[in-house]
Amino acid sequence: MTASTTTSTFVLIHGAADVGWSWHLVAEELRAHGHEVITPDLPCDDESAGLPEFADAVEKAVGASTGDVLARDVSPGARRDLVVVGHSFGGFTAPLIADRLPVTELIYVAAMIPSPGERPAGWWAHTGYEAAVAEQAALDGGLTGNEDPYVSFLGGVPEELAQEAMRRSRGQADASSAAPWPLAAHPQVPTRALVARDDRFFPADFLRRVTRERLGIEAEEIPGCHCAMLSHPRQLAAALELSLR
């Protein structure tokens, strides 16, 4: 991919039952272009941890990596631009970081985009997810919404890499979905949303609609499955860098 003209600190937030490792190929691409990359593990399998605790874990990781410069000093010369990226369920955490820290850009990747006061557990019904999946499944022969994670999440990921992703997966505690999303509005920062062309978990057309309804912007399409960071890491990294050029 073409190198960007600006070096940034990318905070890459994983989805439900996942780990920061899922971003390792994208992180390699970004680091090769001079960016700093932070890929925290969220306490997603901890029943005492809700969304605020998820945000605490990310903020702690950012502070540990930057010496708290990002949190304490917003002067242009004091830090690299901070770009926060949320994948899938990470879409509920990423804007919390954009609300807490001086963020240059917020990017949703195949992500759940929250509404103020919405419980993550209610997101599915509020967005019409079930009907959208049924509609797409009728077109693709039941691939969308398939119960096999190698089909719905990891379709298109090389076999050995998909197996490693499954080996590293964790549980997702109910606590993270039970409480309302705490912000009264989306952070007032430049925001983008990327949808994966072959996503069999969050169909691309479905997420385009949700993006328009909730953010008032048009989503951008990238190649890959729901876990595009593993199926198409170079293309995803290039898309994340796009607005930095």
Side-chain angles (χ1 to χ4, degrees), residues 41-68:
D41 288 337
L42 304 186
C44 59
D45 51 357
D46 183 351
E47 280 294 355
S48 68
L51 294 175
E53 287 72 30
F54 282 24
D56 290 344
V58 176
E59 188 173 7
K60 182 178 180 180
V62 173
S65 178
T66 63
D68 286 330

Side-chain angles (χ1 to χ4, degrees), residues 61-188:
V62 173
S65 178
T66 63
D68 286 330
V69 168
L70 291 170
R72 298 176 182 174
D73 192 337
V74 298
S75 61
R79 60 176 174 81
R80 290 181 170 192
D81 290 336
L82 184 64
V83 179
V84 177
V85 181
H87 173 247
S88 199
F89 190 79
F92 271 89
T93 301
L96 302 183
I97 303 305
D99 185 64
R100 294 185 180 194
L101 298 180
V103 168
T104 302
E105 188 172 34
L106 169 63
I107 306 176
Y108 293 93
V109 176
M112 299 170 73
I113 300 171
S115 282
E118 180 177 58
R119 290 176 172 80
W123 182 90
W124 313 90
H126 297 161
T127 58
Y129 172 78
E130 186 174 337
V133 166
E135 180 179 352
Q136 184 59 35
L139 297 174
D140 64 23
L143 295 176
T144 298
N146 196 290
E147 293 184 0
D148 184 348
Y150 287 102
V151 176
S152 58
F153 288 96
L154 297 162
V157 176
E159 183 177 355
E160 289 187 7
L161 196 57
Q163 291 175 348
E164 180 64 14
M166 288 298 295
R167 188 187 71 79
R168 291 174 179 263
S169 66
R170 300 178 290 165
Q172 183 73 21
D174 292 339
S176 59
S177 292
W181 191 60
L183 298 186
H186 284 274
Q188 295 299 304

Side-chain angles (χ1 to χ4, degrees), residues 18 87 110 152-154 157 196 199 224-232:
D18 209 347
H87 173 247
S152 58
F153 288 96
L154 297 162
V157 176
D199 194 335
C225 63
H226 186 65
C227 295
M229 67 281 295
L230 295 175
S231 70
H232 290 74

Side-chain angles (χ1 to χ4, degrees), residues 21 210 222:
W21 170 90
V210 173
I222 57 172

